[in-house]
Amino acid sequence: MSAEPRINDRIRVPEVRLVGPSGEQVGIVPLAKALELAQEYDLDLVEVAANARPPVCKLMDYGKFKYESAMKAREARKNQAHTVIKEMKLRPKIDPHDYDTKKGHVVRFLKQGDKVKITIMFRGREQSRPELGFRLLQRLASDVEELGFIESNPKQDGRNMIMVLGPHKKKTEAMAEAREAQAARKAERQGVAADEAVDEVEATDAPVEAAEATDAPVAEAPADAPVENPEA
């Protein structure tokens, strides 16, 4: 079945409860009268509550209503926050450089409003030293405490130890901040480009200094000077 409401001649009831273009209650009127008013206002008669008795209909521009509804739905989908869990895997004896790299990824995920699942992977004899993994997880949680919190405490899962960090910021807040930062960067780039264009125009319009003419005398050949004949 179509989710589209019935409009105009598709409405098949003897009378309707009519709502005017501005939301005013007109009352219960015959369908023919409601259609006549729709033509008079150059609008559509739209059934907005089919299960009411009698059905509720409203006078509106249905094409405009559909367009605005589609735009609102699109904006809602754009701002919809999806819960995402990122995963980061570490070894209990990770070296400092790798630790800083992994921590940087965790920081980025938390800033984006995502949860992070931290997995410590034990191998061989490392399985007998679970305290190494526990201390590493506690250290990481402490390093990022300004951005996230421990949502799930460290627990052993076979050869692995798992902890989940949750972000302090909601996903929607992180998305809004990211859009604002992007808009600020774009405005800054446009401002720099405008300044460069002004500088170029000013350089082009700068006056050019004319070279002064010199009054140096021109040497003239003496009247009795011999003339060379190239054909001679």
Side-chain angles (χ1 to χ4, degrees):
M1 296 180 61
S2 174
E4 294 284 336
R6 294 187 295 181
I7 65 172
N8 299 327
D9 294 337
R10 297 180 184 176
I11 302 173
R12 303 291 185 182
V13 291
E15 58 184 13
V16 298
R17 184 179 297 277
L18 186 63
V19 179
S22 302
E24 69 276 15
Q25 296 290 332
V26 178
I28 298 176
V29 299
L31 176 62
K33 178 62 176 178
L35 291 172
E36 181 181 338
L37 289 173
Q39 291 181 350
E40 182 178 335
Y41 283 104
D42 193 22
L43 295 172
D44 299 301
L45 181 67
V46 182
E47 189 177 57
V48 295
N51 295 328
R53 292 293 178 267
V56 180
C57 295
K58 184 177 181 180
L59 298 175
M60 67 173 73
D61 184 338
Y62 186 59
K64 180 180 178 181
F65 170 76
K66 285 186 65 176
Y67 173 78
E68 292 177 348
S69 298
M71 293 301 295
K72 288 179 181 178
R74 180 181 178 184
E75 188 67 20
R77 288 193 300 269
K78 181 179 177 182
N79 295 327
Q80 187 176 6
H82 298 280
T83 302
V84 178
I85 299 180
K86 304 289 187 177
E87 183 173 13
M88 188 60 56
K89 296 181 178 181
L90 295 81
R91 295 294 307 281
K93 297 180 180 180
I94 187 171
D95 66 70
H97 177 73
D98 287 344
Y99 174 81
D100 290 338
T101 301
K102 300 281 188 178
K103 184 180 71 174
H105 292 316
V106 174
V107 167
R108 177 164 54 85
F109 294 149
L110 293 174
K111 284 183 176 180
Q112 293 173 353
D114 296 324
K115 297 181 181 181
V116 187
K117 176 184 176 183
I118 312 297
T119 302
I120 304 295
M121 301 180 297
F122 296 95
R123 293 181 182 176
R125 296 180 180 179
E126 293 175 347
Q127 298 180 58
S128 62
R129 300 290 303 279
E131 68 276 7
L132 295 177
F134 182 81
R135 285 200 297 265
L136 182 58
L137 291 175
Q138 291 294 323
R139 174 189 173 189
L140 181 58
S142 177
D143 288 345
V144 299
E145 61 182 355
E146 294 183 359
L147 300 172
F149 62 95
I150 298 178
E151 184 173 287
S152 177
N153 288 315
K155 62 181 180 180
Q156 195 76 25
D157 182 16
R159 295 184 178 182
N160 301 327
M161 183 175 287
I162 297 172
M163 177 182 72
V164 177
L165 296 174
H168 289 311
K169 291 182 181 179
K170 295 181 179 179
K171 184 72 172 180
T172 51
E173 295 176 358
M175 292 171 61
E177 290 183 0
R179 286 195 297 269
E180 290 176 1
Q182 183 179 5
R185 289 193 298 270
K186 182 178 180 181
E188 184 179 356
R189 289 196 298 269
Q190 291 176 345
V192 171
D195 292 341
E196 292 177 349
V198 170
D199 293 341
E200 184 178 349
V201 171
E202 290 178 350
T204 304
D205 295 340
V208 179
E209 295 183 359
E212 296 182 357
T214 59
D215 295 332
V218 178
E220 296 182 359
D224 55 351
V227 179
E228 295 182 0
N229 186 357
E231 298 179 0

